[in-house]
Amino acid sequence: MNTSTQRLSAEDVMRDAPVIPVIVLHDVQHAVPLARALVAGGIRMLEVTLRTPQALACIEAIAQQVPEAVVGAGTVRSAADAIAASRAGARFAVSPGFTPAVARQCRDLDLPLLPGVATGSEIMQAQEEGFKALKFFPALQAGGLSMLKAWQGPFGDVIFCPTGGIHAGNAQEFLAQPNVACVGGSWLVPGDAMARGDWSAITSLARAACELKRPGSVAA
């Protein structure tokens, strides 16, 4: 897939690799080498969260200097966040919850959105706006595997990216669920490795993440 030119959908973002890294960057100088390290390990969909003042500059740097990566913005909580992320070069957005205002702004921007849900009502609201690829957040705190199994019946046409409490030790359990397309997690981008500039360690973590297995029966 030529990610530099192809128009993406939320499903494309979720199906590209087993893990979407949840990235919190405090230093713009880390953005490009981190993105290159993740891409070298096979992870191209990069969620840079809007949790720091440097986030937008980091998104812009990755978008301009690492064309092999597909950089997105996480923690998108408002229409203004979506606009700023798109202007910085983000190619997808991830939100911790769901609001029609954010959904419609992302649609107006042609910016694929993975909206966050934690209840059946939120799933139904997202579906009313045309979304069927959703972020389950905070996954562990909101019911984890048991909740995903319960949702399979009434929401069998929805695919999820569980995020929140997912780590290398439990990621495979989540990925084994038929309604899980990928998981989100921060373990691919440990802060101590970034502080040391140990990009090879991050590449190794990315390669290990790409070896996680997903069932072939994930709903389309």
Side-chain angles (χ1 to χ4, degrees):
M1 174 166 72
N2 184 350
T3 55
S4 65
T5 59
Q6 178 175 325
R7 184 190 180 282
L8 296 173
S9 68
E11 291 91 339
D12 292 329
V13 174
M14 290 172 67
R15 295 181 190 280
D16 197 65
V19 182
I20 296 175
V22 179
I23 303 167
V24 181
L25 285 165
H26 298 274
D27 187 341
V28 179
Q29 298 303 313
H30 289 162
V32 168
L34 173 66
R36 288 175 176 158
L38 289 165
V39 168
I43 301 292
R44 301 181 295 175
M45 304 293 168
L46 313 182
E47 177 190 342
V48 176
T49 64
L50 301 183
R51 300 181 190 177
T52 68
Q54 299 82 11
L56 290 170
C58 291
I59 290 170
E60 185 174 10
I62 295 169
Q64 292 181 353
Q65 299 181 51
V66 193
E68 316 95 292
V70 179
V71 63
T75 322
V76 172
R77 301 189 303 164
S78 66
D81 284 345
I83 292 168
S86 180
R87 287 175 176 168
R91 294 189 55 204
F92 66 92
V94 184
S95 60
F98 175 82
T99 70
V102 170
R104 291 165 189 168
Q105 183 64 71
C106 286
R107 186 176 292 117
D108 288 347
L109 292 165
D110 203 17
L111 187 67
L113 172 66
L114 278 64
V117 298
T119 68
S121 295
E122 291 168 341
I123 294 172
M124 291 169 64
Q125 290 168 6
Q127 286 189 298
E128 285 179 358
E129 292 288 338
F131 293 89
K132 65 175 184 177
L134 307 175
K135 170 182 172 176
F136 175 30
F137 177 81
L140 227 57
Q141 297 86 344
L145 291 169
S146 297
M147 186 65 82
L148 286 164
K149 290 174 183 177
W151 281 341
Q152 181 63 41
F155 302 115
D157 56 341
V158 177
I159 56 173
F160 296 96
C161 172
T163 306
I166 312 298
H167 52 76
N170 64 7
Q172 188 64 78
E173 289 183 279
F174 281 87
L175 288 165
Q177 301 308 308
N179 55 350
V180 171
C182 66
V183 299
S186 59
W187 82 90
L188 300 189
V189 287
D192 57 347
M194 283 197 284
R196 296 193 307 270
D198 190 353
W199 309 117
S200 62
I202 289 172
T203 295
S204 295
L205 290 169
R207 285 185 180 137
C210 287
E211 293 175 1
L212 293 166
K213 303 302 181 185
R214 294 179 283 187
S217 59
V218 173

